[in-house]
Amino acid sequence: MISSAPSRPKRLWAAAIINVLGAALSIVGVAYLLLSSNPNIPESLRPTGFTTLLALGTSGLLIVASALALLRVQFARWLMLAAALVFFGILAYQSLSILVSSGSSLPAAVAPKLWANVVRNTSEIVINAWALLSPKTAAFFSGSRPSQSFKADGSSAA
């Protein structure tokens, strides 16, 4: 009897796609700020060495962890969750800290955008938690991996 491993949950696909797109956008943004010769970008907005390493490191980790989770690497489920918490948590914290520290001196048009960032990044954390902690995803990661060796007739070598 052949036992089939559970299929990859759609929620895992959704979380991984969100993670990869968000992290890739972050990488593009950092690259633009570093490499642009646009005179309208103030030097204070250009990332420092530490900021660049942090942004590229968390983005890269999120992309790699998401890809490994889609490939059903056992530890990648928890790595993806941790990377999403760090990546989206830092972004939410940045927006929230600007809101709190600026108070009423913040222009009226900026505050709603910052609140939207906080809500969006918190939602992305919730989506990752939902996708990675669900019973369907647990079954996917605990399912047996198919045998990698096959006989010439196509049957498994077990």
Side-chain angles (χ1 to χ4, degrees):
M1 176 177 209
I2 298 174
S3 66
S4 64
S7 64
R8 194 171 288 111
K10 289 180 180 74
R11 62 189 74 193
L12 182 61
W13 275 107
I17 289 169
I18 287 171
N19 291 348
V20 169
L21 291 176
L25 186 59
S26 178
I27 290 170
V28 168
V30 169
Y32 176 75
L33 288 173
L34 284 174
L35 303 174
S36 176
S37 60
N38 186 342
N40 295 326
I41 300 174
E43 283 301 314
S44 62
L45 285 182
R46 296 192 187 272
T48 62
F50 174 75
T51 306
T52 301
L53 286 177
L54 182 65
L56 296 179
T58 56
S59 299
L61 178 63
L62 187 57
I63 291 170
V64 169
S66 297
L68 290 175
L70 286 173
L71 295 173
R72 196 191 290 173
V73 174
Q74 293 299 316
F75 72 90
R77 175 183 180 198
W78 303 111
L79 183 63
M80 180 176 159
L81 184 58
L85 284 169
V86 170
F87 181 80
F88 294 117
I90 288 173
L91 294 176
Y93 174 76
Q94 285 176 333
S95 295
L96 195 57
S97 66
I98 292 170
L99 280 164
V100 170
S101 67
S102 298
S104 61
S105 65
L106 203 61
V110 175
K113 292 178 183 179
L114 290 172
W115 279 115
N117 284 341
V118 171
V119 170
R120 185 186 73 245
N121 288 306
T122 304
S123 298
E124 289 166 345
I125 291 171
V126 169
I127 289 169
N128 274 278
W130 168 70
L132 295 166
L133 300 176
S134 73
K136 286 184 179 183
T137 305
F140 169 72
F141 278 100
S142 66
S144 60
R145 295 196 71 154
S147 175
Q148 297 299 318
S149 59
F150 295 97
K151 291 183 180 176
D153 65 356
S155 64
S156 66

